[in-house]
Amino acid sequence: MYLTKDEEKTLRGDDGETLRKMIEILVALGDIYGADALIPIKSAQVSGVSYKTIGDAGIEWISDLKGTVKVPTVLNPAGMDMNNWERLGIDPKFAAKQIEIINAFGSLGIAPKCTCTPYYLSGFDVQYKDHLAWGESSAISYANSVLGARTNREGGPSALAAALVGKTPDYGYHKVENRKPDIEINVDFETIGADYGALGYVAGKVIGSRIPLFRMKSVPSKDEMKMLGAAMAASGAVALYHIDGVTPEITDIDFVYEKPAESVSIERKDIDAVYESSNALADGNDIVTIGCPHCSKAELEQIAALLDGKTVVKEFWIFTSREIAEQNKALVDKIEKSGAKVVCDTCMVVSPAANSYNCMMVNSGKAFAYVPSMCGIKATYGTADACVKDATGEI
Ligand SMILES: C[C@@](O)(CCOP(=O)(O)O)CC(=O)O
Ligand code: SF4
């Protein structure tokens, strides 16, 4: 891989041991995947933040690093709400470790913004064709597909290396020739709300790590595309998808591609089966969660309206970023008046808070895929409306 004189100096260790180690990671990745150079990135999002997922080895790795990130950088959700961790019953020993992790990232100049929806944050805007180094699979999918930006699926260390160096190796999804669709998915029926998470859950299993081109009857909103992409990245490994007539790259006349050779149709009954699989768990949900990925303002508005005048009869947690919660205090108050809890910086999957429950109801195809494996508890699937009805004891 070609390196500039300055990059060579960094690799020799002239800029210190941390930057030497960081550029070494980038060069190794570039060599493995055939990159010809390092390219500047506009922002980074570092996953591997929760003590639940990185443990003591992760703390040690981050704590050894010195320096300051060169681009705006945010963190993926941590294992707890950093301002209010007692509320969900987090063990103080876990909290101490989590605070240590956030402080270690802080000493590298990374603000404690812990979210999988960095694209909602002010000062973190993403433009079409921007190069990024993001780590969380739903955020990557949203950036590549809905925003038309360019990022590979970075692991925790490579996203942090890119943040500290300000560059990433130019391979994979950074190259336009690797962004062409290679499977067509036809969805010839109307879809709305949680249908998109169920569709992503079904489609991800068919697509694997390929790039789908959806032909859809309905036009999804950005929040619906967020749910579709998150689910496909969890049940499959989809990092980029196109929707005919909707997403920016496929509607760009300069984007040259051929009709994919393989074409698959997903039927309404495939989506219904996701909702229905939940009925098999007869003993009921003892907790309901929404916000995988983190809620937008519009999603908080929807939950607040659905909860209006009602009281929850079981734990109901709604996850969002701290910035969205702070910008929408009235909505948060409205939701919490019902007894539901709006929780920041963390989520149902990366926090240990839900581990002691038996069965969680979700409106997210991604959470539906991950809650059983990462929290060791059962999951049921329903619309936001059904989640609210379950939490308030109406069904
Ligand atoms: C499950 C996930 O959303 C969060 C956990 O990952 P991490 O601990 O932040 O690396 C990661 C992903 O799907 O990319
Ligand atoms: S599991 Fe869901 S809420 Fe948690 S970080 Fe991933 S996308 Fe976000």
Side-chain angles (χ1 to χ4, degrees):
M1 186 169 74
Y2 167 79
L3 293 181
T4 64
K5 288 228 154 50
D6 283 345
E7 289 163 358
E8 271 173 6
K9 278 203 272 174
T10 308
L11 190 60
R12 276 204 309 268
D14 292 10
D15 300 323
E17 180 55 14
T18 293
L19 278 180
R20 190 198 63 73
K21 274 204 284 199
M22 296 299 106
I23 202 163
E24 195 174 69
I25 292 172
L26 301 179
V27 170
L29 278 172
D31 285 342
I32 291 168
Y33 292 108
D36 33 27
L38 295 176
I39 47 167
I41 51 163
K42 198 155 162 222
S43 63
Q45 188 234 9
V46 179
S47 66
V49 176
S50 170
Y51 181 60
K52 172 176 159 178
T53 57
I54 64 168
D56 289 318
I59 300 187
E60 205 176 308
W61 191 78
I62 304 158
S63 306
D64 275 352
L65 305 175
K66 290 181 181 62
T68 307
V69 290
K70 297 216 171 52
V71 292
T73 302
V74 291
L75 300 173
N76 207 38
M80 62 189 199
D81 188 314
M82 297 305 297
N83 289 5
N84 202 355
W85 52 267
E86 294 92 341
R87 188 157 73 140
L88 297 194
I90 298 289
D91 179 344
K93 286 200 205 86
F94 181 96
K97 294 283 191 183
Q98 189 61 68
I99 292 165
E100 199 181 330
I101 293 169
I102 299 299
N103 288 345
F105 280 121
S107 71
L108 299 173
I110 306 176
K113 294 182 181 179
C114 305
T115 182
C116 50
T117 56
Y119 39 86
Y120 296 146
L121 302 183
S122 50
F124 216 79
D125 67 311
V126 176
Q127 302 294 323
Y128 185 49
K129 294 185 180 177
D130 276 353
H131 293 282
L132 318 169
W134 286 15
E136 198 279 330
S137 64
S138 76
I140 291 161
S141 170
Y142 194 94
N144 274 327
S145 315
V146 181
L147 304 174
R150 297 174 178 184
T151 176
N152 285 323
R153 282 182 298 222
E154 302 295 346
S158 67
L160 191 53
L164 285 158
V165 174
K167 293 177 183 173
T168 194
D170 190 13
Y171 70 93
Y173 294 109
H174 292 287
K175 300 260 192 209
V176 70
E177 63 269 27
N178 298 328
R179 299 175 61 89
K180 298 181 184 183
D182 46 19
I183 177 169
E184 206 173 71
I185 306 282
N186 301 299
V187 185
D188 199 17
F189 54 91
E190 306 271 347
T191 37
I192 187 165
D195 289 347
Y196 285 94
L199 174 62
Y201 182 81
V202 172
K205 292 186 186 182
V206 178
I207 299 161
S209 58
R210 289 177 285 175
I211 302 172
L213 168 55
F214 282 90
R215 299 194 192 280
M216 289 191 182
K217 191 158 184 191
S218 303
V219 176
S221 68
K222 284 190 170 176
D223 282 339
E224 288 169 332
M225 288 192 267
K226 172 178 79 171
M227 301 309 258
L228 172 72
M232 284 194 290
S235 68
V238 180
L240 163 63
Y241 62 90
H242 303 285
I243 305 179
D244 191 32
V246 177
T247 52
E249 203 157 16
I250 211 78
T251 45
D252 182 341
I253 46 164
D254 293 329
F255 186 63
V256 182
Y257 66 97
E258 279 154 31
K259 185 178 157 52
E262 190 178 341
S263 181
V264 173
S265 289
I266 293 181
E267 313 289 341
R268 180 77 234 180
K269 65 173 169 37
D270 302 323
I271 306 295
D272 290 342
V274 178
Y275 292 102
E276 280 154 21
S277 66
S278 301
N279 298 340
L281 299 169
D283 44 350
N285 316 298
D286 50 0
I287 180 164
V288 182
T289 68
I290 280 182
C292 171
H294 277 175
C295 285
S296 63
K297 178 186 177 186
E299 289 167 320
L300 291 183
E301 275 166 348
Q302 184 196 15
I303 311 299
L306 289 169
L307 278 170
D308 193 26
K310 298 181 184 164
T311 306
V312 300
V313 296
K314 60 180 81 166
E315 286 298 296
F316 185 18
W317 300 343
I318 294 104
F319 296 95
T320 188
S321 61
R322 183 163 300 286
E323 188 168 312
I324 290 288
E326 280 175 358
Q327 283 168 358
N328 298 284
K329 282 205 168 77
L331 280 177
V332 171
D333 289 347
K334 228 177 138 190
I335 291 171
E336 295 205 329
K337 212 170 148 207
S338 70
K341 298 182 175 104
V342 175
V343 184
C344 304
D345 314 319
T346 185
C347 78
M348 63 294 263
V349 169
V350 299
S351 170
N355 291 5
S356 57
Y357 291 85
N358 177 48
C359 186
M360 182 187 289
M361 184 168 190
V362 297
N363 71 335
S364 152
K366 173 165 183 167
F368 186 59
Y370 277 6
V371 161
S373 56
M374 287 186 68
C375 304
I377 68 175
K378 288 178 275 188
T380 62
Y381 190 76
T383 62
D385 184 44
C387 284
V388 168
K389 288 203 166 93
D390 190 273
T392 54
E394 288 169 78
I395 45 171

